[in-house]
Amino acid sequence: MTIVWAEKALLETGWAENVRIEISPEGLIRSVEANAPADGHRTGVLLPAPANCHSHAFQRAMAGLTERRGPNASDSFWTWRQLMFRFLDRLTPDHVEAIAAFVQMEMLEAGYSANVEFHYLHHQPGGTPYANIAEMAERIATASLTTGMGLTLLPVHYQYGGCDKRALGPGQIRFGNTLDAYAELHARSAEAIAHLPADCRIGVAPHSLRAVAAEDLAHHANMAGGNPLHMHLAEQIAEVEEIVAAHGKRPVELVLDTMELDARHCFIHCTQMQSHETEGLARSGAVSGLCPITESSLGDGIFDGVRWFDNGGSIAVGSDSNIRISLSEELRTLDYSQRLRDHSRAALATPHKSTGRRLFDAVNAGGASVSARNNGALAVGKLADMMGLDADSVDLIGRTGDTILDCYIFAGDDRMVSDVWSAGRHMVTDGRHIKREAIVSAYARTMKQLGEAI
Ligand code: ZN
């Protein structure tokens, strides 16, 4: 039995003081008691720690390498993608494991409890599968054993080079699988997950409407069963135009017409939606998986969060390209994007909830449903996915209630995060992952090898 005590805590029932929480050996919250004497591990401000809903771990190793203009007059997402393809040709399973562990460590230190890994780098350079088709998936699972981070693994189905079903280009052949090969990859990945702690999960991920056939989406839905189904959707203008040309419908229109949606469905980005698409998708119950730092970095566009929330939409937040892993900055960037577009302030606040509280509640709830984790609130029976903020941080002095969240997100940053638990596993103390040194040195070795190669 683990005991955690906090000066202040955001419980499912609201803010409370002097809160004592008991955690079972299975990582579940067994009891919550307010106004209790100090006991066990002490922390400042205890919050539920959300899942990071979208990541491609290997891209972390490219962070900062794509900020020069290429030969094209207008550099864009598509030139970034070219460098990504060249880079990933160098990656071995050992590299991927070291990078994934480093990414998960940074996610934990930022206050995320779980990594929803949208995993599409499956095969050897040249496109031949490894002897075990799920070799790379197993390496990501092994990384999560190293870091103690909850994992929801999404093996990705990637089959075509475009909506016209053209063959994959040379940069894409490490991703490619037929539907049958994908079924085998998924089954072997599920075996890898079965060796992880019980909170870890698996889902299904058709990559995008460019990379899978629209008529196969029913098959993906079948495979997912009750598990999460994630897909990139409506990220780029060129992508929308390609889908309209092929199907006569915009991507969100196509999804609304052909899929039965609920809160297990997560559509990543949704930065290119018209008003009727925003309203329709929000009302469908599907979750929008937003990655505001990456969307800024790639110039994707601005998600219509105001209209989305006005129509009862759910969101989760993820770090996607991992160019920078910061939970507070993702939330701040999302709200600032709305303010810049609309010339407004506190764009996503309501009369009852401050901006920080609304965003934090939303990504905890949405993150829970799309990661299939029983988390998202500090309450009896939930997973102990929790983060502690340092109450002595200068930006939190004298702050109470929802203002704590506003100060953390808008005035502070992730350096306030002192403790993180994933399903009761206390992996971050004093702001540092407990295995930081070993994880960083394995990542540094990898970066040295890759640096020599590109
Ligand atoms: Zn992505």
Side-chain angles (χ1 to χ4, degrees):
M1 179 79 71
T2 303
I3 295 168
V4 176
W5 183 91
E7 294 170 34
K8 299 183 178 74
L10 178 57
L11 305 181
E12 197 172 37
T13 47
W15 288 97
E17 296 198 348
N18 304 323
V19 173
R20 180 182 186 274
I21 287 187
E22 285 183 1
I23 303 169
S24 75
E26 298 77 35
L28 297 170
I29 296 175
R30 186 175 278 175
S31 71
V32 178
E33 185 188 352
N35 307 314
D39 194 5
H41 181 86
R42 297 169 199 199
T43 193
V45 179
L46 195 67
L47 305 168
N52 181 317
C53 76
H54 190 70
S55 157
H56 314 289
F58 75 85
Q59 293 180 12
R60 174 66 179 84
M62 290 167 50
L65 298 183
T66 56
E67 302 304 327
R68 291 171 193 270
R69 272 215 181 278
N72 291 351
S74 71
D75 227 328
S76 69
F77 170 85
W78 306 98
T79 46
W80 172 88
R81 193 161 164 263
Q82 288 308 316
L83 187 132
M84 190 264 281
F85 287 160
R86 269 209 315 280
F87 177 80
L88 63 81
D89 229 21
R90 317 280 182 191
L91 294 171
T92 66
D94 283 348
H95 294 150
V96 166
E97 182 178 332
I99 298 168
F102 184 77
V103 162
Q104 291 172 2
M105 178 198 78
E106 288 195 320
M107 287 179 181
L108 284 162
E109 289 181 347
Y112 292 111
S113 57
N115 165 206
V116 182
E117 182 65 17
F118 196 101
H119 164 58
Y120 62 88
L121 179 59
H122 303 304
H123 305 316
Q124 302 181 52
T128 309
Y130 289 98
N132 170 8
I133 193 171
E135 170 78 30
M136 289 294 203
E138 284 194 0
R139 296 307 192 105
I140 291 166
T142 304
S144 84
L145 283 175
T146 302
T147 62
M149 186 171 217
L151 177 67
T152 298
L153 183 65
L154 305 173
V156 171
H157 181 216
Y158 196 118
Q159 188 167 4
Y160 302 112
C163 289
D164 56 0
K165 300 187 183 173
R166 78 192 81 134
L168 297 177
Q172 299 165 306
I173 48 180
R174 296 190 76 177
F175 316 153
N177 284 296
T178 62
L179 263 184
D180 284 347
Y182 178 62
E184 190 197 342
L185 168 72
H186 194 273
R188 298 289 288 273
S189 301
E191 286 167 22
I193 295 299
H195 294 111
L196 298 182
D199 55 293
C200 295
R201 294 282 181 272
I202 194 159
V204 166
H207 178 273
S208 61
L209 293 171
R210 284 177 286 121
V212 305
E215 62 269 24
D216 287 340
L217 289 173
H219 180 84
H220 296 111
N222 251 343
M223 273 187 82
N227 293 322
L229 187 150
H230 291 223
M231 183 167 74
H232 292 119
L233 192 71
E235 177 181 9
Q236 289 277 330
I237 293 169
E239 169 206 354
V240 173
E241 288 170 350
E242 187 182 336
I243 289 159
V244 170
H247 299 288
K249 290 177 185 170
R250 296 174 57 83
V252 174
E253 293 170 345
L254 182 67
V255 158
L256 287 171
D257 284 353
T258 55
M259 298 177 76
E260 274 183 47
L261 302 179
D262 60 30
R264 292 169 304 114
H265 292 83
C266 187
F267 294 107
I268 307 302
H269 302 305
C270 301
T271 40
Q272 294 297 331
M273 298 195 295
Q274 293 180 347
S275 303
H276 68 285
E277 295 174 286
T278 305
E279 290 162 9
L281 195 61
R283 290 180 189 147
S284 76
V287 177
S288 186
L290 307 176
C291 311
I293 294 174
T294 296
E295 288 150 11
S296 303
S297 166
L298 296 179
D300 284 343
I302 299 175
F303 174 74
D304 191 351
V306 174
R307 191 181 302 271
W308 183 263
F309 277 138
D310 283 350
N311 285 276
S314 300
I315 62 165
V317 74
S319 52
D320 193 10
S321 70
N322 296 311
I323 186 167
R324 181 162 159 74
I325 296 174
S326 170
L327 171 56
S328 56
E329 190 169 318
E330 296 288 2
L331 300 177
R332 186 188 322 131
T333 304
L334 171 60
D335 203 76
Y336 281 179
S337 70
Q338 310 297 301
R339 299 182 195 200
L340 285 165
R341 181 194 58 209
D342 297 344
H343 315 290
S344 65
R345 290 209 67 257
L348 300 174
T350 70
H352 305 293
K353 286 189 182 181
S354 71
T355 310
R357 175 67 186 276
R358 191 175 195 205
L359 288 170
F360 202 74
D361 282 356
V363 299
N364 263 293
S369 57
V370 302
S371 63
R373 284 179 79 76
N374 170 29
N375 72 358
L378 302 183
V380 172
K382 295 279 187 186
L383 280 175
D385 281 358
M386 315 190 298
M387 62 192 278
L389 299 181
D390 178 4
D392 295 329
S393 167
V394 286
D395 285 309
L396 295 184
I397 293 169
R399 304 297 180 224
T400 58
D402 293 348
T403 307
I404 292 171
L405 290 169
D406 296 329
C407 289
Y408 152 57
I409 293 168
F410 293 100
D413 57 34
D414 295 344
R415 284 174 293 182
M416 285 184 185
V417 177
S418 58
D419 295 276
V420 178
W421 293 260
S422 175
R425 299 177 291 270
H426 191 184
M427 303 314 296
V428 175
T429 62
D430 293 327
R432 291 168 63 87
H433 192 280
I434 57 174
K435 296 186 192 165
R436 181 171 238 285
E437 262 177 45
I439 292 168
V440 170
S441 59
Y443 180 71
R445 274 197 305 279
T446 290
M447 291 307 287
K448 193 157 181 299
Q449 289 169 16
L450 290 172
E452 285 160 3
I454 49 176

